[in-house]
Amino acid sequence: MDNRKFIELAIKAVVDYFNGRADKSDRKTITPEDVYVVWSCKTLGNNKALISTNVSDGMYYEITYNGAKSEMYFDAYKKWENKCIKMEE
């Protein structure tokens, strides 16, 4: 699968996931324009992307395409903490 098609499918997967799980009382849905790719790569026949949205819910998504099996894997994560760890030189 070429990278452009993979990114298109990955973004659609994130939109469908969010809209399928959003609290209906919030009346909040997203479109592909609300989704952005943080990082992506293609190695041999496989693709991977880290994706987020403009919703301030701390979620990010890891989408992987296994070219050998023609399967796409979807992982959803919530950011719980961001802290600095000082390293000694």
Side-chain angles (χ1 to χ4, degrees):
M1 173 180 313
D2 74 25
N3 198 52
R4 185 182 319 211
K5 181 66 175 173
F6 166 70
I7 295 297
E8 179 184 311
L9 292 172
I11 288 172
K12 181 183 181 326
V14 170
V15 169
D16 292 347
Y17 178 86
F18 180 89
N19 290 342
R21 286 162 182 73
D23 187 337
K24 304 301 180 215
S25 65
D26 289 340
R27 296 186 180 161
K28 172 71 177 164
T29 59
I30 63 172
T31 67
E33 289 75 31
D34 299 309
V35 180
Y36 59 94
V37 176
V38 176
W39 172 88
S40 72
C41 73
K42 179 172 178 141
T43 305
L44 301 173
N46 304 310
N47 302 74
K48 183 176 286 277
L50 298 179
I51 295 176
S52 192
T53 70
N54 62 11
V55 178
S56 61
D57 60 359
M59 293 293 294
Y60 75 96
Y61 306 90
E62 179 181 328
I63 315 296
T64 305
Y65 175 73
N66 180 335
K69 294 183 177 183
S70 295
E71 295 176 340
M72 192 163 76
Y73 312 117
F74 182 98
D75 294 297
Y77 298 95
K78 180 136 181 124
K79 178 178 173 181
W80 290 103
E81 187 172 353
N82 180 344
K83 65 180 184 175
C84 176
I85 299 172
K86 297 288 186 179
M87 306 303 290
E88 292 184 31
E89 292 186 30

